[in-house]
C-alpha cells in the first residue's frame, strides 16, 4: 500500500518504520522536505520518502495525521483531493477551535472524506514500535463510521504486531477512543508506570 503520514515525529516515525518493514511505501508529509532528507528513517528505509504535505497526500491510498492536535485544521486544508482515500486520525488533545467537536469531524468537514478513523492514539509511540510484552501482544482501539476504512486499519494494526484492534463503534465513540489515550497517559505519568506498559484485553 502507499501510505501517507503527515507528521513525522514520534508517532509518525513509529508507524512509518513498522509499515515499511511490512513492504508498504511511506510518503511523509512534512513542512520542510529538503531539511528532512537527512532523517535517519529515510536513510535506513529506501521505501520511506519525504514530500510537502499536499504532494504526500496525493501519493497515498491512506493518510495518517500524526501532528499536534492544534495543527489538524491547518493540515486538513493542505491535503487536497482525497477521493477514494482513507484518513486515520492519530492525534490527541484540543484542536484549538470550537468549530468542530473533534479532529475526526474537522478532517471530515474540511477534506470531504467520509472514511475517517481514529486509531493509533491510545498508547505511547514505543508500543507502536513494539506492542509485545513478554511474548504477548497488546491491544489497539479504533472508532469511526466507515466499516471499510476500519477493515484496513485492523490489518495495519495487526501488521504492527497488535493482537487486535478493538472497534469501539461509529463517530459517536471518537471521544471514547481519545479518553483511552488519557487513561494510558494518566497511568504512565500520575500513576507512576512510566512509558513501558500497554493495555491488553483478556477473555474467559
Ligand atoms: N508521543 C506519543 O507517545 C503519542 C501517543 C499517542 C498519540 N500521540 C499524538 O500524536 C500526535 C503526534 O505526537 P508526536 O509525539 O509524534 O509529536 P512530535 O514528535 O512532536 O511530532 C509532531 C510532528 O508534527 C509535525 N507538525 C507539526 N505541525 C505541523 C503542521 N502544521 N504541518 C505539518 N506537520 C506538522 C512536526 O513537524 P516539525 O518537525 O516541522 O515541527 C512533527 O514532525 C499528537 O497529536 C499526540 O497527541 C502521541
Amino acid at each position: 500500500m502507499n501510505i501517507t503520514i503527515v507528521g513525522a515525529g514520534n508517532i509518525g516515525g513509529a508507524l512509518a518504520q513498522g509499515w515499511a518493514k511490512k513492504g508498504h511505501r511511506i510518503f511523509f508529509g512534512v513542512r520542510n522536505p529538503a531539511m528532512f532528507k537527512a532523517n535517519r528513517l529515510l536513510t535506513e528505509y529506501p521505501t520511506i520518502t519525504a514530500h510537502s504535505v499536499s504532494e504526500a497526500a496525493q501519493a497515498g491510498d491512506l493518510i495518517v495525521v500524526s501532528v499536534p492536535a492544534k495543527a489538524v485544521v491547518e493540515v486538513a486544508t493542505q491535503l487536497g483531493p482525497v477521493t477514494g482515500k482513507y484518513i486515520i486520525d492519530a492525534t490527541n488533545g484540543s484542536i484549538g477551535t470550537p468549530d468542530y467537536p473533534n479532529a475526526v469531524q474537522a478532517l471530515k468537514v474540511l477534506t470531504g472524506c467520509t472514511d475517517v478513523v481514529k486509531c493509533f492514539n491510545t498508547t505511547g509511540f514505543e508500543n507502536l514500535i513494539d506492542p509485545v510484552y513478554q511474548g504477548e501482544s497488546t491491544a489497539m482501539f479504533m472508532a469511526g463510521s466507515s466499516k471499510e476504512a476500519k477493515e484496513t486499519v485492523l490489518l495495519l494494526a495487526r501488521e504492527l504486531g497488535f493482537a487486535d484492534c478493538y472497534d469501539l463503534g461509529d463517530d459517536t465513540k471518537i471521544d471514547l477512543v481519545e479518553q483511552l489515550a488519557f487513561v494510558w497517559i494518566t497511568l504512565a505519568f500520575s500513576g507512576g508506570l512510566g512509558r513501558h506498559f500497554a493495555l491488553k484485553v483478556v477473555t474467559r
Side-chain angles (χ1 to χ4, degrees):
M1 231 179 149
N2 287 345
I3 300 177
T4 300
I5 301 181
V6 182
N10 293 316
I11 289 291
L15 293 172
Q17 55 189 298
W19 290 328
K21 283 178 190 159
K22 293 292 175 183
H24 298 289
R25 279 206 64 187
I26 308 297
F27 297 84
F28 272 137
V30 298
R31 291 193 275 201
N32 192 334
M35 267 183 63
F36 202 80
K37 290 260 183 295
N39 185 280
R40 175 186 67 82
L41 290 176
L42 269 62
T43 48
E44 275 182 30
Y45 299 91
T47 53
I48 303 181
T49 50
H51 313 267
S52 69
V53 171
S54 56
E55 273 174 18
Q58 292 323 297
D61 308 303
L62 176 146
I63 302 167
V64 178
V65 177
S66 50
V67 295
K70 285 197 167 48
V72 165
V73 168
E74 183 190 340
V75 165
T77 59
Q78 293 175 353
L79 294 181
V82 293
T83 312
K85 299 177 194 285
Y86 298 149
I87 299 179
I88 304 176
D89 166 33
T91 70
N92 285 321
S94 164
I95 62 170
T97 166
D99 295 345
Y100 314 97
N102 53 45
V104 165
Q105 287 308 313
L107 286 163
K108 281 188 147 183
V109 172
L110 292 167
T111 67
C113 180
T114 50
D115 297 304
V116 184
V117 177
K118 190 162 192 90
C119 193
F120 304 118
N121 65 305
T122 60
T123 194
F125 71 91
E126 298 90 341
N127 293 327
L128 300 182
I129 296 171
D130 182 7
V132 177
Y133 283 75
Q134 292 151 19
E136 294 205 28
S137 187
T138 50
M140 183 45 66
F141 303 88
M142 65 178 163
S145 292
S146 170
K147 284 200 169 71
E148 295 78 12
K150 285 192 286 192
E151 282 169 16
T152 298
V153 173
L154 170 61
L155 297 177
L156 289 170
R158 289 206 169 127
E159 286 188 336
L160 294 177
F162 287 97
D164 214 332
C165 184
Y166 294 91
D167 180 1
L168 299 189
D170 63 13
D171 279 358
T172 64
K173 302 297 182 189
I174 296 295
D175 293 344
L176 186 58
V177 178
E178 184 132 346
Q179 288 303 314
L180 263 179
F182 292 111
V183 169
W184 187 89
I185 291 166
T186 303
L187 288 171
F189 301 109
S190 320
L193 286 182
R195 297 188 62 92
H196 294 282
F197 76 98
L199 303 178
K200 180 172 166 55
V201 175
V202 291
T203 54
R204 204 183 289 286

